[in-house]
Amino acid sequence: MLSFECDYNRGAHGKVIEHLIETNMEPLPGYGEDIYSKRAKEKIREACHCPEAEVYFLAGGTQTNQVVIDSLLTKYEGVIAADTGHINVHEAGAIEFTGHKVLAIPHVNGKLMAADVRSYLEKFYDDTTHEHMVFPGMVYISHPTEYGTLYSMDELKDLSHLCREYDIPLFMDGARLGYGLMVKDTLLTLPDIAKLCDVFYIGGTKVGALCGEAVVFTHGNAPKHFVTMIKQHGALTAKGRLLGVQFDALFTDDLYFKISRNAIAMAEVLKRIFREKGYEFFIDSPTNQIFIVLENEKMKALAKEVTFSFWERKDEDHTVVRFATSWATTLEEIKELEKLL
Amino acid sequence: MLSFECDYNRGAHGKVIEHLIETNMEPLPGYGEDIYSKRAKEKIREACHCPEAEVYFLAGGTQTNQVVIDSLLTKYEGVIAADTGHINVHEAGAIEFTGHKVLAIPHVNGKLMAADVRSYLEKFYDDTTHEHMVFPGMVYISHPTEYGTLYSMDELKDLSHLCREYDIPLFMDGARLGYGLMVKDTLLTLPDIAKLCDVFYIGGTKVGALCGEAVVFTHGNAPKHFVTMIKQHGALTAKGRLLGVQFDALFTDDLYFKISRNAIAMAEVLKRIFREKGYEFFIDSPTNQIFIVLENEKMKALAKEVTFSFWERKDEDHTVVRFATSWATTLEEIKELEKLL
Amino acid sequence: MLSFECDYNRGAHGKVIEHLIETNMEPLPGYGEDIYSKRAKEKIREACHCPEAEVYFLAGGTQTNQVVIDSLLTKYEGVIAADTGHINVHEAGAIEFTGHKVLAIPHVNGKLMAADVRSYLEKFYDDTTHEHMVFPGMVYISHPTEYGTLYSMDELKDLSHLCREYDIPLFMDGARLGYGLMVKDTLLTLPDIAKLCDVFYIGGTKVGALCGEAVVFTHGNAPKHFVTMIKQHGALTAKGRLLGVQFDALFTDDLYFKISRNAIAMAEVLKRIFREKGYEFFIDSPTNQIFIVLENEKMKALAKEVTFSFWERKDEDHTVVRFATSWATTLEEIKELEKLL
Amino acid sequence: MLSFECDYNRGAHGKVIEHLIETNMEPLPGYGEDIYSKRAKEKIREACHCPEAEVYFLAGGTQTNQVVIDSLLTKYEGVIAADTGHINVHEAGAIEFTGHKVLAIPHVNGKLMAADVRSYLEKFYDDTTHEHMVFPGMVYISHPTEYGTLYSMDELKDLSHLCREYDIPLFMDGARLGYGLMVKDTLLTLPDIAKLCDVFYIGGTKVGALCGEAVVFTHGNAPKHFVTMIKQHGALTAKGRLLGVQFDALFTDDLYFKISRNAIAMAEVLKRIFREKGYEFFIDSPTNQIFIVLENEKMKALAKEVTFSFWERKDEDHTVVRFATSWATTLEEIKELEKLL
């Protein structure tokens, strides 16, 4: 069975596994105090051109969103997100679980537009009863978004300036950050993101690691006693080496970027195939997630030989599905899929 | 200064005060175990034609919403509400504070339509990833709504049947219930509401009491150890008599209904005046809240002599404001306001 | 039936009721913005000799403890309390409900000793793993304590200095503060308490009001957007006047102190009676709560004619019970009780 | 530097690593739906002689405690634990973070005695005010305990029977379960534990895995929608294979038990050495944690060549420290340590 249902269906990249093997029997301190975690943090600071960044490793995306948002928000604050944002839809209420409201704003192609956020903020402070409302205390975006779309440099700058104007942090969920960075036409580099965001994370789980996300606080703004808060959320990895060693490998010789580029290259090939064969695209995504409208009959037939994701019903006869490439996708797999299409 | 900004700007109705005075020095047990609380509960059961109802008194509306919703929801569930619902907008995140998401659905004149809720529920269970989402575990409506509108008998029946089909409770926020019940054209009676809702509350704070809401669980569905959960939320009134005595007075000789009728009668007069004078109505509300579009200049002039509520900006030159009548509004006050308009 | 089971079994003091009546029909803004609330706050600031104090009114004791503690603690902090402290035992977990641990320390006659707290704090910071533990972020004491005992001037000073040394607030639960202040031998005045504590509350529910506690932040340390947090906890009283008017009466002509003195005077008489009749005291309490060891047979007989509180079993044949006087207790009641003893 | 500070300072056992490598590039579904997770669950059910057991994998110990306890407790309940229990001391308040109180009871050698729990429960239900208290809704024990001690068969049976009498689940934290099972003199087998506990977990992080704990609900008592609750806590591992593959290896050919036995064997040797050399034992622990009282001078000298854990100060001149062996400890390491002692 061909497998295109997601970008986390394989283990880890070979070099990541190798590094785990070669360090496996070294006695190392726990909780991220090991040398590989420290080394990985240093490499990430360098890749971000952000020597003052504070880097922490967490195991998964929802966990990271939950811990970062809860730790940065004051108790009476909520987090602004696109209504399609992962935290608003697909995290089983992990943010509300910590007592905070997700303040959902209509999305534009999965993105949050600065103008809409500004209008929300202005309306909030304009409202004479806003002391009875949830204060907007952070802006959450994902890049790439849940629709595989990307913020342009200008769009991100606008959000960044707006957040600084209102003195609330801009947090980027980078669960698929590598795939966003390696798109040909994007101008946004990792250092740009470090400059424009107050906190973001570099996703490992979906980009070559067994697990792991690297949270980057960009300007000395890590919450006080952040390790304690990670522990309090049940999110502190005892063998922190598991995360540190993997990121050490991913940020050696640009591995993270090279393998991300593979996903994009494979997606480009696949999109060309879909286009040539006349498939309808649901949305124009430049990254590794491809959203296609299928007739239900066609969908059922295909599903016998290849896995993909249900996205949403379009109408009675059509369904939107998602094909995802990843760091591990090979040209052979694409070719096989082509035959099936 | 004339006062029309809300329906809780006076103390309590004279008979309520009297009852407080006459019972004041009786030694009574605390926490709602006193004879007046018991008596009031019995009277409410009778007024609801619902002998098996379990009645509890809480002090305020947000508190009641928080305690009832949190106590009835399972930990992984959220509550469906209109996006304009009080719990979604004006309770400072009191529901999320308890760990639950408000699942907001677009309103129609402040109301939640059964068809929209059904579509939400169907889409949810249809989604193959719904185990990663917040389960819809309750439907919250307010009657009258935040816009002063009312559910029709059919609309409420549809919601009730839908909730029973999906086995989730229907909860009615009746902070202004009296005002809803006393509208001439409504067919919905208190017994109807007790039949169609699983839990609702009869608002006292806005209808003649100093404070107090009477929560009614209609069919033996009060949460186990509900008193403990009230205490845990910091919401257990030590001198429960304060609530019991007031509701005892309100449900003696139909006082609750009579004083509610006054608010509606006064609102009718006031609406006629607005209409005759050519004011623009923002929404057609049959209850005690009247939403008017004012030119900003006019608004500022009026504000010098009468208080009313800011609702929202309409455009650069116009603002939506609210005038509220209450159990305490007199014809003299309406006449004075007429002069100012 | 004679009633000595608690100090909240009557309504409100006559002057409090009178003030509610005389202000009842005035139209007043909600949420504590009314003139009586402001006036009461001013009178409290004066009574505390603390012009910079920020005063807020909440409805009940558990609610106040929950809101104040949750609002002042950082997310990773807990609150130190005596193991017998009300928040640790009798609030149904209201503090943990907000995510914070109660760090219980063995009591001495219901009190927290500075030396024990210091030892706890030193051990905590000494522990190399304390980043995996709950940070002590506040000290909670009650005065009088749950055993009716009082802190001496020196004991309170020691706690106060310790808290300032560690830069954590000292919070005094004053649900029965009036009774503590009116004990003849105590040196601690209200201004002393305002000087030594960072936040405390003046209990109204148990001292002459229908409900209400006045929270005093003594040096500009009220949490930012405290009203929003009160609302978020479901604890904001819509008709704030209910609280403001009552405290306005209580702090006019020293009413609060005078009626507190009555409880103490009555308790003195009652203790003398118990002593003369050879009853065994469980603890030596100088305030309005008297703890007596009764033979179970005797207890059952008494319980037919007078109410008192079960405290704890002493042994198979004896039980500790509590008799409480209050602002409303009369000499006639004491005399009647004397006959029964 | 010799390393005896903990039992999680190495990566994973060779066979675990091998299994990760050989399955690494297989495309597998996420969230624990993969074949290796299913296989591992089946093997665990067999090892437990408990075919109806429901098994879930989580990444770490604190996370597991938090998710299991929060998911099983009703909202108004707390969890009984020894005051030295991990959840009470070393998890940064992770249980309180979810709204539940830890009801701490004095320990006996790190253990919770059934008689003490019974007395707590009886006192609770005896108390006429218990509706204002936190209901005891679960009993938490760790086996081995934080002191390395073990429950005897009788002690565990007594707790089990008591819990069933009161209809509350008995939960065993088995972060080091393997080490407990492999002690020569213990009678308690894995099937015994499955029979006596309602839920427990088999620790992987400290016994041969990179991360991972296997939670076992022993009689169809897994909480409804448990996966959703795991997700809500931020604890759902996207690449569930990481956990499944490791436990598949650990429960193949009794690997889990064999490597646990190594830790115990090495600890036996080490204890003999300490004994022969006249070192003072702080507590008599039969498992892989050895608690020794050291003179501070000696401690400092040793610390230059071997790592161990600070446990607590004994007096001004002495400190209690912990030496831990693990699945990875070799006889060579013990010999080297012997030389240093």
Side-chain angles (χ1 to χ4, degrees):
Chain A
M1 178 82 93
L2 271 175
S3 177
F4 282 90
E5 85 278 20
C6 70
D7 38 18
Y8 46 94
N9 58 1
R10 254 77 178 203
H13 188 273
K15 297 214 169 156
V16 170
I17 293 285
E18 262 172 45
H19 203 31
L20 284 170
I21 296 170
E22 72 198 12
T23 59
N24 188 53
M25 292 308 288
E26 295 177 25
L28 296 173
Y31 308 112
E33 292 300 311
D34 64 279
I35 183 69
Y36 299 101
S37 293
K38 286 176 182 168
R39 204 175 282 172
K41 290 176 182 190
E42 189 49 38
K43 288 176 181 172
I44 286 170
R45 277 190 284 266
E46 277 170 30
C48 294
H49 297 187
C50 190
E52 72 278 25
E54 294 157 286
V55 183
Y56 292 88
F57 298 117
L58 285 155
T62 295
Q63 183 177 86
T64 304
N65 287 332
Q66 186 187 63
V67 172
V68 169
I69 291 171
D70 186 33
S71 299
L72 280 175
L73 288 182
T74 297
K75 286 172 176 177
Y76 52 81
E77 293 176 335
V79 54
I80 291 176
D83 52 2
T84 50
H86 207 255
I87 57 168
N88 194 42
V89 182
H90 269 107
E91 301 193 349
I95 303 306
E96 291 82 3
F97 177 71
T98 67
H100 298 288
K101 191 179 187 71
V102 177
L103 304 163
I105 288 182
H107 74 107
V108 176
N109 291 330
K111 293 186 280 183
L112 207 50
M113 293 292 102
D116 296 334
V117 179
R118 176 178 294 281
S119 144
Y120 184 92
L121 291 166
E122 283 175 354
K123 208 177 155 206
F124 176 84
Y125 284 104
D126 212 39
D127 192 322
T128 53
T129 66
H130 73 258
E131 282 239 308
H132 291 199
M133 295 162 72
V134 177
F135 278 72
M138 180 188 281
V139 171
Y140 163 94
I141 56 174
S142 36
H143 182 84
T145 68
E146 293 69 22
Y147 285 105
T149 52
L150 291 177
Y151 286 84
S152 71
M153 177 69 89
D154 278 351
E155 286 168 344
L156 190 63
K157 275 190 178 163
D158 287 352
L159 281 170
S160 179
H161 296 163
L162 179 62
C163 284
R164 280 159 198 187
E165 183 183 332
Y166 276 88
D167 196 21
I168 56 178
L170 177 60
F171 170 38
M172 178 185 283
D173 171 339
R176 296 187 169 95
L177 189 57
Y179 302 142
L181 293 170
M182 288 301 103
V183 164
K184 246 178 275 166
D185 297 338
T186 187
L187 297 174
L188 277 170
T189 63
L190 192 53
D192 290 330
I193 286 168
K195 226 174 284 163
L196 296 170
C197 295
D198 299 287
V199 53
F200 66 99
Y201 69 91
I202 302 170
T205 304
K206 286 166 176 153
V207 190
L210 287 164
C211 61
E213 323 294 316
V215 182
V216 183
F217 294 94
T218 59
H219 48 78
N221 57 327
K224 206 177 154 190
H225 295 307
F226 190 51
V227 167
T228 302
M229 276 198 276
I230 295 173
K231 181 78 179 169
Q232 183 190 31
H233 286 74
L236 190 61
T237 301
K239 292 187 180 170
R241 64 194 295 155
L242 169 59
L243 306 174
V245 167
Q246 292 186 89
F247 272 97
D248 187 33
L250 287 170
F251 278 83
T252 298
D253 296 335
D254 287 341
L255 183 64
Y256 187 76
F257 304 97
K258 286 176 191 161
I259 66 177
S260 294
R261 198 173 296 133
N262 176 71
I264 299 304
M266 292 301 106
E268 289 298 331
V269 179
L270 184 52
K271 272 182 279 191
R272 197 175 342 110
I273 292 167
F274 277 123
R275 221 175 286 121
E276 286 169 7
K277 293 191 181 286
Y279 281 82
E280 181 188 347
F281 286 80
F282 171 65
I283 197 171
D284 182 27
S285 155
T287 58
N288 71 316
Q289 303 183 77
I290 308 173
F291 299 88
I292 298 292
V293 180
L294 290 182
E295 278 176 40
N296 291 348
E297 287 309 306
K298 176 77 182 170
M299 179 175 70
K300 277 177 203 157
L302 258 184
K304 286 175 190 152
E305 315 212 45
V306 56
T307 60
F308 46 80
S309 286
F310 166 86
W311 202 251
E312 62 183 63
R313 287 177 194 280
K314 205 192 165 188
D315 56 41
E316 290 224 340
D317 300 323
H318 296 81
T319 303
V320 180
V321 301
R322 185 191 68 176
F323 290 81
T325 63
S326 81
W327 57 273
T329 307
T330 62
L331 205 51
E332 287 68 44
E333 291 172 310
I334 301 283
K335 290 266 159 77
E336 277 190 67
L337 177 54
E338 182 172 19
K339 283 181 215 149
L340 297 175
L341 294 169
Chain B
M1 177 83 92
L2 272 175
S3 175
F4 283 89
E5 84 278 21
C6 70
D7 38 19
Y8 45 94
N9 58 1
R10 254 77 177 206
H13 187 274
K15 297 214 169 155
V16 170
I17 292 284
E18 263 172 44
H19 203 31
L20 283 170
I21 296 170
E22 73 199 10
T23 60
N24 188 54
M25 291 309 287
E26 294 177 26
L28 294 173
Y31 308 113
E33 293 300 311
D34 64 281
I35 183 69
Y36 299 101
S37 293
K38 286 174 181 169
R39 204 174 280 173
K41 289 176 183 191
E42 189 49 38
K43 288 176 180 170
I44 286 171
R45 274 189 288 267
E46 278 170 30
C48 293
H49 297 187
C50 190
E52 71 277 25
E54 294 158 285
V55 183
Y56 291 88
F57 299 118
L58 286 154
T62 294
Q63 183 177 86
T64 303
N65 287 332
Q66 185 187 64
V67 173
V68 169
I69 291 171
D70 186 33
S71 299
L72 281 175
L73 288 183
T74 297
K75 286 173 178 178
Y76 51 82
E77 293 176 335
V79 54
I80 291 176
D83 53 1
T84 50
H86 207 255
I87 57 169
N88 193 43
V89 183
H90 268 106
E91 301 193 348
I95 303 306
E96 292 82 4
F97 176 70
T98 69
H100 299 288
K101 189 177 186 74
V102 177
L103 303 163
I105 288 182
H107 73 107
V108 176
N109 291 330
K111 292 186 282 183
L112 207 50
M113 293 292 104
D116 296 333
V117 179
R118 177 177 294 283
S119 144
Y120 184 91
L121 290 167
E122 284 175 354
K123 208 178 154 204
F124 175 83
Y125 284 105
D126 213 38
D127 192 322
T128 55
T129 65
H130 72 259
E131 282 241 308
H132 291 199
M133 296 162 71
V134 177
F135 278 72
M138 181 189 276
V139 171
Y140 163 95
I141 57 174
S142 39
H143 182 84
T145 68
E146 291 70 22
Y147 285 106
T149 52
L150 291 177
Y151 286 85
S152 72
M153 175 70 87
D154 279 350
E155 287 168 344
L156 190 62
K157 275 189 179 164
D158 287 351
L159 280 171
S160 180
H161 297 162
L162 180 64
C163 284
R164 279 157 200 190
E165 185 184 329
Y166 276 88
D167 197 23
I168 54 177
L170 176 61
F171 170 39
M172 179 186 280
D173 171 340
R176 294 187 170 97
L177 189 57
Y179 302 141
L181 292 170
M182 289 299 102
V183 164
K184 246 178 275 167
D185 298 338
T186 186
L187 296 174
L188 277 170
T189 63
L190 192 53
D192 291 329
I193 286 168
K195 227 174 284 164
L196 295 170
C197 295
D198 299 287
V199 54
F200 67 98
Y201 69 92
I202 302 170
T205 304
K206 286 166 176 150
V207 190
L210 287 165
C211 61
E213 323 293 314
V215 182
V216 183
F217 294 94
T218 60
H219 48 78
N221 57 327
K224 208 177 153 188
H225 295 308
F226 189 51
V227 167
T228 303
M229 276 197 277
I230 295 173
K231 182 77 179 168
Q232 183 189 30
H233 287 74
L236 190 60
T237 300
K239 292 188 181 169
R241 66 194 295 154
L242 170 59
L243 307 174
V245 166
Q246 291 187 88
F247 273 96
D248 188 34
L250 287 171
F251 279 82
T252 298
D253 296 335
D254 288 340
L255 182 65
Y256 187 75
F257 304 98
K258 286 176 190 162
I259 65 177
S260 294
R261 197 173 297 134
N262 177 72
I264 299 303
M266 291 302 104
E268 288 300 329
V269 178
L270 183 52
K271 273 183 278 191
R272 197 173 346 112
I273 293 167
F274 277 123
R275 219 174 289 122
E276 287 170 5
K277 293 189 182 289
Y279 281 83
E280 180 187 349
F281 286 80
F282 171 65
I283 197 171
D284 182 26
S285 155
T287 58
N288 71 315
Q289 303 182 75
I290 306 172
F291 298 88
I292 297 292
V293 181
L294 291 181
E295 277 176 42
N296 291 347
E297 288 309 306
K298 175 78 182 171
M299 179 176 70
K300 277 177 205 156
L302 259 184
K304 285 175 190 150
E305 315 213 43
V306 56
T307 60
F308 46 81
S309 285
F310 167 86
W311 202 252
E312 60 183 62
R313 286 176 195 280
K314 206 193 164 188
D315 56 39
E316 290 224 341
D317 300 324
H318 297 81
T319 303
V320 180
V321 301
R322 186 190 69 176
F323 290 81
T325 64
S326 80
W327 58 275
T329 307
T330 63
L331 204 53
E332 288 66 47
E333 290 172 311
I334 301 283
K335 291 264 160 76
E336 279 191 65
L337 176 56
E338 183 173 16
K339 282 182 214 147
L340 298 174
L341 295 169
Chain C
M1 178 82 93
L2 271 176
S3 176
F4 283 89
E5 84 278 19
C6 70
D7 39 17
Y8 46 94
N9 58 1
R10 255 76 179 205
H13 188 272
K15 297 215 168 154
V16 171
I17 292 284
E18 263 173 43
H19 203 30
L20 283 170
I21 296 170
E22 72 198 11
T23 59
N24 187 53
M25 293 307 288
E26 294 177 25
L28 295 173
Y31 309 112
E33 292 301 310
D34 64 280
I35 183 69
Y36 299 101
S37 293
K38 286 175 182 168
R39 203 175 281 172
K41 290 175 183 190
E42 189 49 37
K43 288 177 181 170
I44 286 170
R45 276 190 285 268
E46 277 170 29
C48 294
H49 298 187
C50 188
E52 72 277 25
E54 295 157 285
V55 183
Y56 292 88
F57 299 117
L58 285 154
T62 295
Q63 183 177 86
T64 303
N65 287 332
Q66 186 187 64
V67 172
V68 169
I69 291 171
D70 186 34
S71 299
L72 280 176
L73 288 183
T74 297
K75 286 171 177 179
Y76 52 82
E77 293 176 335
V79 54
I80 291 175
D83 52 1
T84 50
H86 207 255
I87 57 167
N88 193 44
V89 183
H90 269 106
E91 301 193 349
I95 304 306
E96 292 82 3
F97 177 70
T98 68
H100 298 288
K101 191 178 187 70
V102 177
L103 304 163
I105 288 182
H107 73 106
V108 175
N109 291 329
K111 293 185 280 182
L112 207 51
M113 293 292 103
D116 297 333
V117 178
R118 175 178 295 282
S119 144
Y120 184 92
L121 291 167
E122 283 176 354
K123 207 178 155 205
F124 175 84
Y125 284 104
D126 211 38
D127 192 322
T128 55
T129 66
H130 72 259
E131 281 240 309
H132 291 199
M133 295 163 73
V134 177
F135 277 72
M138 180 188 280
V139 170
Y140 163 95
I141 57 174
S142 38
H143 183 85
T145 69
E146 292 70 21
Y147 285 105
T149 52
L150 291 177
Y151 286 84
S152 71
M153 176 68 89
D154 279 350
E155 287 168 343
L156 190 62
K157 275 189 179 165
D158 287 351
L159 280 170
S160 179
H161 297 163
L162 180 62
C163 285
R164 279 159 199 187
E165 185 184 330
Y166 277 88
D167 196 21
I168 56 178
L170 176 61
F171 170 39
M172 178 185 282
D173 171 339
R176 295 187 169 96
L177 189 56
Y179 302 141
L181 293 170
M182 289 300 103
V183 163
K184 245 177 274 168
D185 298 338
T186 186
L187 298 174
L188 277 169
T189 63
L190 192 54
D192 291 329
I193 286 169
K195 225 175 285 165
L196 295 171
C197 295
D198 299 287
V199 53
F200 66 98
Y201 69 92
I202 302 170
T205 304
K206 286 166 176 151
V207 191
L210 287 165
C211 62
E213 322 294 315
V215 182
V216 183
F217 294 95
T218 59
H219 48 77
N221 56 328
K224 206 178 156 190
H225 295 307
F226 190 51
V227 168
T228 303
M229 276 197 275
I230 295 173
K231 181 77 179 168
Q232 182 190 33
H233 286 74
L236 190 61
T237 300
K239 292 187 181 169
R241 66 195 294 155
L242 169 59
L243 307 173
V245 166
Q246 291 186 90
F247 272 96
D248 187 34
L250 287 171
F251 279 82
T252 298
D253 296 335
D254 288 338
L255 183 64
Y256 187 76
F257 304 98
K258 287 176 191 161
I259 66 178
S260 295
R261 197 173 297 135
N262 177 71
I264 298 304
M266 291 302 107
E268 289 300 330
V269 179
L270 183 52
K271 272 183 279 191
R272 196 174 344 111
I273 293 167
F274 277 123
R275 219 174 288 122
E276 287 169 8
K277 291 189 183 287
Y279 281 82
E280 181 188 346
F281 287 79
F282 172 65
I283 198 171
D284 182 26
S285 156
T287 59
N288 72 314
Q289 302 182 76
I290 306 171
F291 299 88
I292 298 292
V293 181
L294 291 182
E295 277 176 42
N296 292 348
E297 287 310 305
K298 175 78 182 172
M299 179 176 70
K300 277 176 205 157
L302 258 185
K304 286 175 190 151
E305 315 213 45
V306 56
T307 61
F308 44 82
S309 286
F310 167 87
W311 202 252
E312 61 183 62
R313 285 177 197 280
K314 205 192 166 191
D315 56 40
E316 289 225 340
D317 301 323
H318 296 81
T319 304
V320 180
V321 301
R322 186 191 67 177
F323 290 80
T325 63
S326 80
W327 58 274
T329 306
T330 62
L331 204 52
E332 288 67 46
E333 291 171 310
I334 301 283
K335 291 264 159 79
E336 278 189 67
L337 176 55
E338 183 173 17
K339 284 181 215 150
L340 298 173
L341 294 169
Chain D
M1 177 81 91
L2 271 175
S3 175
F4 284 88
E5 85 277 22
C6 69
D7 38 19
Y8 45 94
N9 59 1
R10 255 76 179 205
H13 187 273
K15 297 214 169 155
V16 171
I17 293 283
E18 264 171 43
H19 202 31
L20 283 170
I21 296 171
E22 72 200 10
T23 60
N24 188 53
M25 292 309 286
E26 294 177 26
L28 294 173
Y31 307 114
E33 293 300 311
D34 64 281
I35 183 68
Y36 299 102
S37 293
K38 286 174 181 169
R39 203 174 282 174
K41 290 175 183 190
E42 189 49 36
K43 289 177 180 170
I44 286 170
R45 275 189 287 266
E46 277 169 31
C48 293
H49 298 187
C50 190
E52 71 277 25
E54 295 158 285
V55 183
Y56 292 88
F57 298 118
L58 286 155
T62 295
Q63 182 177 86
T64 303
N65 288 333
Q66 185 188 63
V67 172
V68 168
I69 292 171
D70 186 33
S71 299
L72 281 175
L73 288 183
T74 298
K75 286 172 178 177
Y76 51 82
E77 293 176 335
V79 55
I80 290 175
D83 53 1
T84 50
H86 207 254
I87 57 169
N88 194 43
V89 183
H90 269 106
E91 301 193 350
I95 303 307
E96 291 82 3
F97 176 70
T98 68
H100 298 289
K101 189 177 187 73
V102 178
L103 304 163
I105 288 182
H107 74 107
V108 175
N109 292 328
K111 292 187 282 183
L112 206 50
M113 293 293 104
D116 296 333
V117 179
R118 177 176 295 280
S119 144
Y120 184 92
L121 290 167
E122 284 176 354
K123 208 178 155 204
F124 176 83
Y125 284 105
D126 213 39
D127 192 321
T128 54
T129 65
H130 72 258
E131 281 240 308
H132 291 199
M133 295 163 71
V134 177
F135 278 71
M138 181 188 278
V139 170
Y140 163 95
I141 57 174
S142 37
H143 182 84
T145 68
E146 292 69 22
Y147 284 105
T149 52
L150 291 176
Y151 285 85
S152 71
M153 176 70 88
D154 279 350
E155 287 169 344
L156 190 62
K157 275 189 180 165
D158 287 351
L159 281 170
S160 179
H161 296 162
L162 180 63
C163 285
R164 278 157 201 189
E165 185 183 330
Y166 277 88
D167 196 21
I168 56 177
L170 176 61
F171 170 39
M172 179 186 280
D173 171 339
R176 294 187 170 97
L177 189 57
Y179 302 140
L181 293 170
M182 289 300 101
V183 164
K184 246 177 276 169
D185 297 337
T186 186
L187 297 174
L188 277 170
T189 63
L190 192 53
D192 291 330
I193 286 168
K195 227 174 283 163
L196 295 170
C197 295
D198 299 287
V199 54
F200 66 98
Y201 70 93
I202 302 170
T205 304
K206 284 165 177 152
V207 190
L210 287 165
C211 62
E213 323 294 314
V215 182
V216 183
F217 294 95
T218 59
H219 49 78
N221 57 326
K224 208 178 154 189
H225 295 308
F226 189 51
V227 167
T228 303
M229 275 197 277
I230 295 174
K231 181 77 180 168
Q232 183 188 31
H233 286 75
L236 190 61
T237 301
K239 292 188 181 170
R241 67 194 295 154
L242 169 60
L243 307 173
V245 166
Q246 292 186 90
F247 272 96
D248 187 33
L250 287 171
F251 278 82
T252 297
D253 296 335
D254 288 341
L255 183 64
Y256 187 75
F257 304 98
K258 287 177 190 162
I259 66 177
S260 294
R261 198 173 297 135
N262 176 72
I264 299 303
M266 292 302 105
E268 288 300 329
V269 179
L270 184 51
K271 272 183 279 192
R272 195 173 347 110
I273 293 167
F274 277 123
R275 220 174 287 122
E276 286 168 9
K277 292 190 180 288
Y279 281 83
E280 180 188 349
F281 287 80
F282 172 64
I283 197 171
D284 182 26
S285 156
T287 59
N288 71 316
Q289 302 183 75
I290 306 172
F291 299 87
I292 298 292
V293 181
L294 291 182
E295 277 176 40
N296 292 348
E297 287 309 307
K298 176 75 181 171
M299 180 176 71
K300 277 178 204 155
L302 260 184
K304 285 175 190 151
E305 316 213 42
V306 56
T307 61
F308 45 81
S309 286
F310 167 86
W311 202 251
E312 61 183 63
R313 287 177 195 279
K314 204 191 166 192
D315 56 38
E316 290 226 340
D317 301 324
H318 297 82
T319 303
V320 181
V321 301
R322 186 191 68 177
F323 290 81
T325 63
S326 80
W327 57 274
T329 307
T330 63
L331 204 52
E332 288 67 46
E333 291 172 311
I334 301 283
K335 291 266 160 76
E336 278 190 66
L337 176 54
E338 184 173 15
K339 282 181 216 150
L340 298 174
L341 293 169

